[in-house]
Every structure is written in C-alpha cells, then in structure tokens.
Amino acid sequence: MGNDFSRREFLATAATVAAGIAAGVAADAPGEPIIDIHQHTNYSGRTDAQLIAHQKALGVTTSVLLPAGRLYGLDADCGRNDTVLALAKKHSQFVFFANEITDVPAAREEITKYLKLGAIGIGEQKFRVACDSPEFQGVAELAQEFGGPVLMHFMHNQYNTGIERFHKVLEKFPKVNFIGHAQTWWGNVDKNHEQKAMYPTTKVTPGGITDRLLSDHPNIYGDLSAGSGLNFFTRDEDHARAFLERHQDKLMFGSDCNDIFGRGPGCQGANILANIRKLAPTKVIERKILFGNAKRVMKL
C-alpha cells in the first residue's frame, strides 16, 4: 500500500518529470494489455466505480486487488478480503489476493479461507513484524502450500523490518515468489542507502540490498508502484534505465494510486507508466514490465 508520499512530496516529485510526463498523458495503448499488480478497494474512500474508471483511464486490462487485514486498513482505509472478492466476482478484469495481520492468531485461518475462494496470492503484507519472524514465515508456508506469491511492504523500523536479513527467507522458501515494495525496498537499490531515508534524492551507487537480492535470488521480484517506485525513477534516471535492463525479468508495474482520474500530475499510476515507457531501454523490456512478468508470476 503506497500512501507513502504526502501530497506536497508527490507533487514536488511529479514536477521534476519531463513535461510530457508531468502533463499526465493518458497511458492507454490500444491492443497492448497491461497488468497492474497493486490496487486497493475503498482506497482513501474511493468507490468501486471510481476505481474502475481510474484503471480504465490508465489503460490497465487486469488489476490485482490487495486487501487489508482486520485492522488499520493499510493506513489508508483500504478494504478487507470480502471487498476484493466481491469486486472480482462482479468484474472479470480484477483478480485478488488474500491478507491478514501477520501475527494475529487467526491469520492462517483467514488467509486460507480466501485462498480457497480464489485468491491468487497473499498481501499486501504491511504489518509491524520482522521480515524473517516466525509469524511471517508462517505466511510464507501458506504461500508455498497454495502456490501463490507474497507481496511485501518494506519500511524501516515499521513494516517487515530487517530487510538485510531477508535473503535467509528467500533461501528457506525457494519455491515461493516474493514481491518487494515501498520505501525501504526502493531506497536499497543504492549501495550507500541510509535506512532512515524514505525518499532519497541522491544519485545511486548500484549494488544495494535490493539490487543484490534481485540478482542473487530467483524468487524475489520488484513492484514499481507508489511514491517510492516513482522516486526510484526520478532520483537518478540513468541508474533507473540500467536497473530496468539488468532486472528486466524481475520488475512489474503497479500503480498503488488512490487518485480518481487515472491521468494528470496528481496520478502516481500515470506517472509511473510514463516513466517505464520513457526509461525502458527497449520495447521488449517495456512489455515485460507492463505485462509479461506479472502474467508469469501471477499465473494469469
């Protein structure tokens, strides 16, 4: 869940994007399917009708709905498991994950219930546990049992803490595909990243934790959504371009955007799409990121 930019921070970042991108040119590309791996129901009060219109404006053909747990609403009043199931039943362009607060006693039962009802993965796991905790490993065991990915929000000292140890989880669960997301995930593309920095603006030295995880482990992927994903692009375009090429089989488009229009400088999703199209070194790489990788990982 990417309510991780203040309005001021987001608009400041959007203003640095090239004029055509900042103008929010519609992302529609007729005939080219797009999978958005990161959306939410009731996002900051947005209605289902507004969500549907937003995704259509982006040109998205399949959206993955990520539910909240029983409390907190992923810090943005996002809908729970029942809401994503209901919307996916009504509209075939939506698929959904299952979720629950990692360390509550009923987590396994709740997640299992919705996996059996058709959820294709688990997440967004955005809860106050260590990323290698026994409780999170229980979630990984469920993903292994059902064969779906786990999408994780990494945020220093808050959610899925201890990213420097996450390689141990990847090694313990080699058959589970994990998807990294959010501030600490994208900050750590930089070898010199300061963990307290949520939206770093410095040039990037390759070889950070995220860069190494993607290179060294076949079962970890990157979700380019939210203000953190957009910041990854805009802080150092030369690095972003090389990173997209280096990890072209590991990256997936997500919007994680609570906007209601699907275009314009205030729409994270539109700006992320525009940056992918601008910085992907080839059309082949662009299509992998916008469609092919998610189709494979999500088994769509």
Side-chain angles (χ1 to χ4, degrees):
M1 198 288 306
N3 193 20
D4 53 12
F5 247 178
S6 71
R7 183 72 174 171
R8 181 186 303 171
E9 288 172 321
F10 175 72
L11 291 178
T13 298
T16 68
V17 185
I21 298 174
V25 176
D28 312 60
E32 292 188 344
I34 297 173
I35 298 173
D36 180 349
I37 72 163
H38 198 133
Q39 261 300 352
H40 302 284
T41 53
N42 197 50
Y43 201 166
S44 303
R46 182 175 56 190
T47 67
D48 286 350
Q50 289 170 329
L51 170 59
I52 291 167
H54 179 273
Q55 297 304 91
K56 183 177 180 181
L58 283 181
V60 169
T61 49
T62 301
S63 301
V64 181
L65 300 174
L66 306 178
R70 64 186 60 199
L71 300 173
Y72 318 126
L74 300 176
D75 293 339
D77 297 324
C78 297
R80 290 169 53 177
N81 289 300
D82 57 338
T83 68
V84 299
L85 171 61
L87 188 57
K89 278 188 173 182
K90 290 180 181 177
H91 300 279
S92 61
Q93 70 267 38
F94 293 104
V95 294
F96 66 99
F97 275 25
N99 204 21
E100 184 51 282
I101 299 171
T102 319
D103 56 352
V104 300
R108 184 177 185 88
E109 180 182 357
E110 177 75 358
I111 293 171
T112 299
K113 173 183 175 180
Y114 284 91
L115 288 169
K116 288 181 176 179
L117 288 171
I120 64 170
I122 300 172
E124 174 183 7
Q125 282 278 293
K126 184 186 178 184
F127 306 111
R128 296 182 184 276
V129 297
C131 67
D132 58 345
S133 65
E135 293 83 2
F136 181 75
Q137 290 188 48
V139 170
E141 288 169 358
L142 266 180
Q144 183 170 264
E145 179 181 344
F146 283 87
V150 182
L151 194 146
M152 305 173 65
H153 185 120
F154 288 95
M155 188 172 179
H156 179 64
N157 280 344
Q158 292 198 55
Y159 308 117
N160 291 309
T161 56
I163 193 172
E164 68 278 2
R165 302 187 302 274
F166 192 61
H167 65 95
K168 297 178 182 179
V169 178
L170 296 174
E171 292 160 3
K172 185 171 181 178
F173 298 95
K175 295 182 179 179
V176 178
N177 288 325
F178 298 90
I179 304 169
H181 157 69
Q183 299 97 323
T184 297
W185 173 261
W186 287 115
N188 275 290
V189 297
D190 187 356
K191 184 177 181 180
N192 301 319
H193 180 59
E194 293 289 339
Q195 295 300 343
K196 293 181 180 180
M198 295 294 102
Y199 300 98
T201 58
T202 57
K203 293 290 184 179
V204 176
T205 300
I209 294 171
T210 297
D211 202 356
R212 298 198 307 272
L213 289 176
L214 289 169
S215 294
D216 296 345
H217 300 276
N219 57 328
I220 183 68
Y221 296 82
D223 166 8
L224 288 160
S225 69
S228 51
L230 183 57
N231 190 67
F232 153 77
F233 285 111
T234 59
R235 67 182 287 197
D236 187 338
E237 289 191 354
D238 290 336
H239 168 266
R241 189 176 288 108
F243 192 92
L244 295 186
E245 182 165 21
R246 184 160 66 254
H247 300 300
Q248 61 184 273
D249 296 316
K250 291 294 201 76
L251 304 175
M252 294 176 274
F253 166 66
S255 62
D256 195 5
C257 182
N258 63 359
D259 169 75
I260 64 173
F261 300 108
R263 63 187 74 240
C267 178
Q268 286 181 158
N271 280 280
I272 293 165
L273 271 172
N275 273 279
I276 292 170
R277 290 184 167 127
K278 176 185 178 183
L279 298 175
T282 68
K283 184 68 175 181
V284 170
I285 293 174
E286 175 193 307
R287 293 306 304 151
K288 286 182 178 182
I289 295 170
L290 295 183
F291 179 73
N293 294 339
K295 183 177 186 295
R296 183 182 74 254
V297 174
M298 305 288 179
K299 302 175 184 177
L300 295 171

Coordinates of all heavy atoms in Angstrom, one line a residue, residues 1-5 38 40 43 66-78 98-103 122-130 136 139 150-156 158-161 179 181-183 199 226 228 256:
M1 N 0.8 -1.2 0.0 CA 0.0 0.0 0.0 C 0.9 1.2 0.0 O 1.8 1.3 0.8 CB -0.9 0.0 1.2 CG -2.1 0.9 1.1 SD -1.7 2.6 1.2 CE -0.8 2.7 2.7
G2 N 0.6 2.1 -0.9 CA 1.6 3.2 -1.1 C 1.1 4.6 -0.7 O 1.4 5.5 -1.4
N3 N 0.4 4.7 0.4 CA 0.0 6.1 0.8 C 1.3 6.6 1.5 O 1.3 7.0 2.7 CB -1.1 6.0 1.8 CG -1.7 7.4 2.1 OD1 -1.5 8.3 1.3 ND2 -2.5 7.5 3.2
D4 N 2.4 6.5 0.8 CA 3.7 6.8 1.4 C 4.4 8.1 0.9 O 5.5 8.3 1.1 CB 4.7 5.6 1.1 CG 4.8 5.2 -0.3 OD1 4.3 6.0 -1.2 OD2 5.3 4.1 -0.6
F5 N 3.6 8.9 0.2 CA 4.0 10.2 -0.2 C 3.0 11.2 0.4 O 1.8 10.9 0.3 CB 4.0 10.3 -1.7 CG 5.3 10.5 -2.4 CD1 5.3 10.6 -3.8 CD2 6.5 10.6 -1.7 CE1 6.5 10.7 -4.4 CE2 7.7 10.7 -2.3 CZ 7.7 10.8 -3.7
H38 N -0.9 -3.8 -8.2 CA -1.1 -3.2 -6.9 C -2.2 -2.2 -6.9 O -2.0 -1.0 -7.1 CB 0.2 -2.6 -6.5 CG 0.3 -2.3 -5.0 ND1 1.4 -2.6 -4.2 CD2 -0.5 -1.7 -4.1 CE1 1.2 -2.3 -3.0 NE2 0.0 -1.7 -2.9
H40 N -6.2 -1.2 -4.6 CA -6.9 -1.4 -3.4 C -8.4 -1.0 -3.6 O -8.6 0.0 -4.3 CB -6.3 -0.7 -2.2 CG -4.9 -1.0 -1.9 ND1 -4.6 -2.1 -1.3 CD2 -3.8 -0.3 -2.1 CE1 -3.2 -2.1 -1.1 NE2 -2.8 -1.0 -1.6
Y43 N -9.9 2.7 -1.4 CA -8.6 3.4 -1.1 C -8.9 4.9 -0.8 O -9.3 5.6 -1.6 CB -7.7 3.3 -2.3 CG -6.2 3.5 -2.1 CD1 -5.4 3.1 -3.2 CD2 -5.7 4.0 -1.0 CE1 -4.0 3.2 -3.0 CE2 -4.3 4.2 -0.8 CZ -3.5 3.8 -1.9 OH -2.1 3.9 -1.7
L66 N -5.4 -5.8 -3.6 CA -4.7 -6.2 -2.4 C -5.5 -5.8 -1.2 O -5.7 -4.6 -1.0 CB -3.3 -5.6 -2.4 CG -2.4 -5.9 -3.6 CD1 -1.1 -5.2 -3.4 CD2 -2.2 -7.4 -3.8
P67 N -6.1 -6.7 -0.4 CA -6.9 -6.3 0.7 C -6.1 -6.0 2.0 O -4.9 -6.4 2.1 CB -7.7 -7.6 1.0 CG -6.8 -8.7 0.6 CD -6.0 -8.2 -0.6
A68 N -6.7 -5.3 2.9 CA -6.1 -5.0 4.2 C -6.4 -6.2 5.1 O -7.2 -7.1 4.8 CB -6.7 -3.7 4.8
G69 N -5.8 -6.1 6.3 CA -6.2 -7.0 7.4 C -7.4 -6.5 8.2 O -8.0 -5.5 7.8
R70 N -7.7 -7.1 9.3 CA -8.9 -6.8 10.0 C -8.8 -5.4 10.7 O -9.8 -4.8 11.0 CB -9.1 -7.8 11.1 CG -8.1 -7.9 12.2 CD -8.3 -9.1 13.1 NE -8.4 -10.3 12.4 CZ -8.9 -11.5 12.8 NH1 -9.5 -11.5 14.0 NH2 -8.9 -12.5 12.1
L71 N -7.6 -4.9 10.9 CA -7.4 -3.6 11.5 C -6.5 -2.7 10.6 O -5.8 -3.2 9.7 CB -6.8 -3.7 12.9 CG -7.5 -4.5 13.9 CD1 -6.7 -4.6 15.2 CD2 -8.8 -3.8 14.3
Y72 N -6.6 -1.4 10.8 CA -5.6 -0.4 10.2 C -5.9 0.0 8.8 O -5.6 1.1 8.4 CB -4.2 -0.8 10.3 CG -3.8 -1.5 11.7 CD1 -3.2 -2.7 11.7 CD2 -4.1 -0.8 12.9 CE1 -2.8 -3.3 12.9 CE2 -3.7 -1.4 14.1 CZ -3.1 -2.7 14.1 OH -2.8 -3.2 15.3
G73 N -6.5 -0.9 8.0 CA -6.8 -0.6 6.6 C -5.6 -0.2 5.8 O -5.6 0.6 4.9
L74 N -4.4 -0.8 6.1 CA -3.2 -0.5 5.5 C -2.8 1.0 5.5 O -2.3 1.6 4.6 CB -3.2 -1.0 4.0 CG -3.4 -2.5 3.8 CD1 -3.4 -2.8 2.3 CD2 -2.2 -3.3 4.5
D75 N -3.3 1.7 6.6 CA -3.1 3.1 6.8 C -3.7 4.0 5.8 O -3.4 5.2 5.7 CB -1.6 3.4 6.9 CG -0.9 2.8 8.1 OD1 -1.6 2.5 9.1 OD2 0.3 2.6 8.1
A76 N -4.7 3.5 5.1 CA -5.4 4.3 4.1 C -6.8 3.9 3.9 O -7.4 4.1 2.8 CB -4.7 4.2 2.7
D77 N -7.4 3.3 4.9 CA -8.8 2.8 4.9 C -9.1 1.9 3.7 O -10.2 1.9 3.2 CB -9.7 4.1 4.8 CG -9.6 5.0 6.0 OD1 -9.4 4.4 7.1 OD2 -9.7 6.2 5.9
C78 N -8.2 1.1 3.4 CA -8.4 0.1 2.3 C -9.3 -1.0 2.7 O -9.4 -1.4 3.9 CB -7.1 -0.5 1.8 SG -6.0 0.8 1.1
A98 N -5.3 -12.5 -0.9 CA -5.8 -12.7 0.5 C -4.8 -12.1 1.5 O -3.6 -12.0 1.2 CB -6.0 -14.2 0.8
N99 N -5.4 -11.6 2.6 CA -4.5 -11.0 3.6 C -5.0 -11.1 5.0 O -6.2 -11.3 5.2 CB -4.3 -9.5 3.2 CG -3.0 -8.9 3.7 OD1 -2.1 -9.6 4.0 ND2 -2.9 -7.6 3.8
E100 N -4.1 -10.9 5.9 CA -4.5 -10.7 7.3 C -3.2 -10.2 8.1 O -2.1 -10.4 7.6 CB -5.0 -12.0 8.0 CG -5.5 -11.9 9.4 CD -6.5 -10.8 9.6 OE1 -6.0 -9.6 9.7 OE2 -7.7 -11.1 9.7
I101 N -3.4 -9.6 9.2 CA -2.3 -9.1 10.0 C -1.5 -10.3 10.4 O -2.0 -11.3 10.9 CB -2.9 -8.4 11.3 CG1 -3.7 -7.2 10.9 CG2 -1.7 -8.0 12.2 CD1 -4.4 -6.5 12.0
T102 N -0.2 -10.2 10.1 CA 0.7 -11.3 10.2 C 0.7 -12.1 11.5 O 0.7 -13.3 11.5 CB 2.2 -10.8 9.9 OG1 2.1 -9.9 8.9 CG2 3.1 -12.0 9.5
D103 N 0.7 -11.4 12.6 CA 0.9 -12.0 13.9 C -0.4 -12.1 14.7 O -0.3 -12.4 15.9 CB 2.0 -11.3 14.7 CG 1.7 -9.8 14.9 OD1 0.7 -9.3 14.3 OD2 2.5 -9.2 15.6
I122 N -0.9 -13.6 -1.6 CA -1.0 -13.1 -0.3 C -0.4 -11.7 -0.2 O 0.7 -11.5 -0.6 CB -0.4 -14.0 0.8 CG1 -0.9 -15.4 0.8 CG2 -0.5 -13.4 2.2 CD1 -0.2 -16.4 1.6
G123 N -1.2 -10.8 0.4 CA -0.7 -9.4 0.6 C -1.8 -8.4 0.3 O -2.9 -8.7 0.0
E124 N -1.5 -7.2 0.6 CA -0.2 -6.6 0.9 C 0.1 -6.8 2.3 O -0.5 -6.3 3.2 CB -0.2 -5.1 0.5 CG 1.0 -4.3 0.9 CD 0.8 -2.9 0.5 OE1 -0.3 -2.4 0.1 OE2 1.8 -2.2 0.7
Q125 N 1.2 -7.5 2.6 CA 1.7 -7.7 3.9 C 2.4 -6.4 4.4 O 3.6 -6.1 4.0 CB 2.7 -8.9 4.0 CG 2.0 -10.2 4.0 CD 1.4 -10.6 5.4 OE1 2.2 -10.8 6.3 NE2 0.1 -10.6 5.6
K126 N 1.7 -5.6 5.2 CA 2.2 -4.3 5.6 C 1.9 -4.2 7.1 O 1.0 -3.4 7.6 CB 1.6 -3.1 4.9 CG 2.1 -1.8 5.2 CD 1.3 -0.7 4.6 CE 1.9 0.7 5.0 NZ 1.1 1.8 4.5
F127 N 2.6 -5.0 7.9 CA 2.4 -5.1 9.3 C 3.7 -5.0 10.1 O 4.7 -5.2 9.6 CB 1.6 -6.3 9.6 CG 0.3 -6.4 8.8 CD1 0.2 -7.4 7.8 CD2 -0.7 -5.5 8.9 CE1 -1.0 -7.4 7.0 CE2 -1.9 -5.5 8.2 CZ -2.0 -6.5 7.2
R128 N 3.5 -4.8 11.4 CA 4.7 -4.5 12.3 C 5.3 -5.8 12.8 O 5.2 -6.1 14.0 CB 4.2 -3.6 13.4 CG 3.8 -2.2 12.9 CD 3.4 -1.3 14.1 NE 2.9 0.0 13.5 CZ 3.6 1.0 13.1 NH1 4.9 1.0 13.2 NH2 3.0 2.1 12.7
V129 N 6.0 -6.5 11.9 CA 6.7 -7.7 12.2 C 8.1 -7.6 11.5 O 8.2 -6.9 10.5 CB 6.0 -8.9 11.8 CG1 4.6 -9.1 12.5 CG2 5.7 -9.0 10.2
A130 N 9.0 -8.4 11.9 CA 10.3 -8.6 11.2 C 10.0 -9.5 10.0 O 9.2 -10.4 10.0 CB 11.3 -9.2 12.1
F136 N 5.9 -14.3 10.1 CA 5.9 -14.1 8.6 C 6.3 -15.4 7.9 O 5.7 -15.7 6.8 CB 6.9 -13.0 8.2 CG 6.9 -12.8 6.7 CD1 5.8 -12.1 6.1 CD2 7.9 -13.3 6.0 CE1 5.8 -12.0 4.7 CE2 7.9 -13.2 4.6 CZ 6.8 -12.6 3.9
V139 N 3.3 -17.2 7.1 CA 2.6 -16.7 5.8 C 3.3 -17.3 4.6 O 2.7 -17.8 3.7 CB 2.7 -15.2 5.8 CG1 2.2 -14.6 4.4 CG2 1.8 -14.6 6.9
V150 N 3.8 -13.6 -2.5 CA 3.6 -12.8 -1.4 C 4.1 -11.4 -1.7 O 5.3 -11.3 -2.0 CB 4.3 -13.3 -0.1 CG1 3.9 -12.5 1.1 CG2 3.9 -14.8 0.2
L151 N 3.2 -10.4 -1.6 CA 3.7 -9.0 -1.8 C 3.9 -8.3 -0.5 O 3.0 -8.3 0.4 CB 2.6 -8.3 -2.6 CG 3.1 -6.9 -3.2 CD1 2.5 -6.7 -4.6 CD2 2.9 -5.8 -2.3
M152 N 5.1 -7.7 -0.3 CA 5.5 -7.2 1.0 C 5.9 -5.7 0.9 O 6.6 -5.2 0.0 CB 6.8 -7.9 1.4 CG 6.6 -9.4 1.5 SD 8.2 -10.2 1.9 CE 8.5 -9.6 3.5
H153 N 5.4 -4.9 1.9 CA 5.7 -3.5 2.1 C 6.9 -3.4 3.1 O 6.7 -3.7 4.3 CB 4.5 -2.8 2.6 CG 4.6 -1.3 2.7 ND1 3.8 -0.5 2.0 CD2 5.5 -0.5 3.4 CE1 4.2 0.8 2.3 NE2 5.2 0.8 3.2
F154 N 8.1 -3.1 2.6 CA 9.3 -2.9 3.4 C 9.4 -1.4 3.8 O 9.6 -0.6 3.0 CB 10.5 -3.3 2.7 CG 10.7 -4.8 2.5 CD1 10.3 -5.4 1.3 CD2 11.3 -5.6 3.5 CE1 10.4 -6.8 1.1 CE2 11.4 -7.0 3.3 CZ 11.0 -7.6 2.1
M155 N 9.4 -1.2 5.1 CA 9.6 0.2 5.6 C 10.4 0.1 6.9 O 9.9 -0.5 7.9 CB 8.2 0.9 5.9 CG 8.3 2.3 6.2 SD 6.7 3.1 6.2 CE 7.1 4.8 6.6
H156 N 11.5 0.8 6.9 CA 12.5 0.7 8.0 C 11.8 1.1 9.4 O 11.1 2.1 9.5 CB 13.6 1.7 7.7 CG 14.7 1.7 8.8 ND1 15.4 0.6 9.1 CD2 15.1 2.7 9.6 CE1 16.3 1.0 10.1 NE2 16.0 2.2 10.4
Q158 N 9.3 0.0 10.8 CA 7.9 -0.1 10.8 C 7.3 -1.4 10.3 O 6.7 -2.1 11.1 CB 7.2 1.1 10.1 CG 7.5 2.4 10.7 CD 6.6 3.5 10.3 OE1 5.3 3.4 10.3 NE2 7.1 4.6 9.8
Y159 N 7.5 -1.7 9.0 CA 6.8 -2.8 8.4 C 7.9 -3.8 7.8 O 8.7 -3.3 7.0 CB 5.8 -2.4 7.3 CG 4.9 -1.3 7.8 CD1 4.8 -0.1 7.2 CD2 3.9 -1.6 8.8 CE1 3.9 0.9 7.6 CE2 3.1 -0.7 9.3 CZ 3.1 0.6 8.7 OH 2.2 1.6 9.1
N160 N 7.7 -5.1 8.1 CA 8.7 -6.1 7.5 C 10.1 -5.6 7.7 O 10.9 -5.5 6.8 CB 8.3 -6.3 6.0 CG 7.0 -7.1 5.9 OD1 6.8 -8.1 6.5 ND2 6.2 -6.5 5.0
T161 N 10.4 -5.4 8.9 CA 11.8 -4.8 9.3 C 12.8 -5.9 9.1 O 12.6 -7.1 9.1 CB 11.8 -4.3 10.7 OG1 11.4 -5.4 11.6 CG2 10.8 -3.1 10.9
I179 N 7.4 -10.5 -3.6 CA 7.4 -9.3 -4.4 C 7.7 -8.1 -3.4 O 6.9 -7.9 -2.5 CB 6.1 -9.0 -5.1 CG1 5.8 -10.2 -6.0 CG2 6.2 -7.8 -5.9 CD1 4.4 -10.2 -6.6
H181 N 8.3 -4.1 -2.2 CA 7.6 -2.9 -2.5 C 7.9 -1.9 -1.4 O 8.2 -2.3 -0.3 CB 6.1 -3.2 -2.6 CG 5.2 -2.0 -2.3 ND1 5.0 -1.0 -3.1 CD2 4.3 -1.8 -1.2 CE1 4.1 -0.1 -2.6 NE2 3.7 -0.6 -1.5
A182 N 7.8 -0.6 -1.7 CA 7.7 0.5 -0.7 C 9.1 1.1 -0.5 O 10.1 0.8 -1.1 CB 7.0 0.1 0.6
Q183 N 9.1 2.0 0.5 CA 10.3 2.9 0.7 C 11.6 2.3 0.9 O 12.6 2.6 0.3 CB 10.0 3.9 1.9 CG 8.7 4.8 1.7 CD 7.5 4.2 2.4 OE1 7.3 2.9 2.4 NE2 6.7 5.0 3.0
Y199 N 12.6 8.8 1.1 CA 12.6 9.3 -0.3 C 13.9 9.9 -0.7 O 14.0 11.2 -0.8 CB 11.4 10.2 -0.6 CG 10.1 9.5 -0.3 CD1 9.5 9.7 0.9 CD2 9.5 8.6 -1.2 CE1 8.3 9.0 1.2 CE2 8.4 7.9 -0.9 CZ 7.7 8.2 0.3 OH 6.6 7.5 0.6
A226 N 3.6 3.1 -6.4 CA 3.6 4.1 -5.3 C 4.6 5.2 -5.4 O 5.4 5.2 -6.4 CB 3.7 3.4 -3.9
S228 N 7.2 5.6 -3.7 CA 8.5 5.1 -3.6 C 9.0 4.5 -4.9 O 10.2 4.7 -5.3 CB 8.5 4.0 -2.5 OG 7.5 3.0 -2.8
D256 N -0.8 1.5 -7.3 CA -1.0 1.8 -5.8 C -1.3 3.3 -5.7 O -0.8 4.0 -4.9 CB 0.3 1.5 -5.1 CG 0.0 1.4 -3.6 OD1 -1.1 1.6 -3.2 OD2 1.0 1.3 -2.8

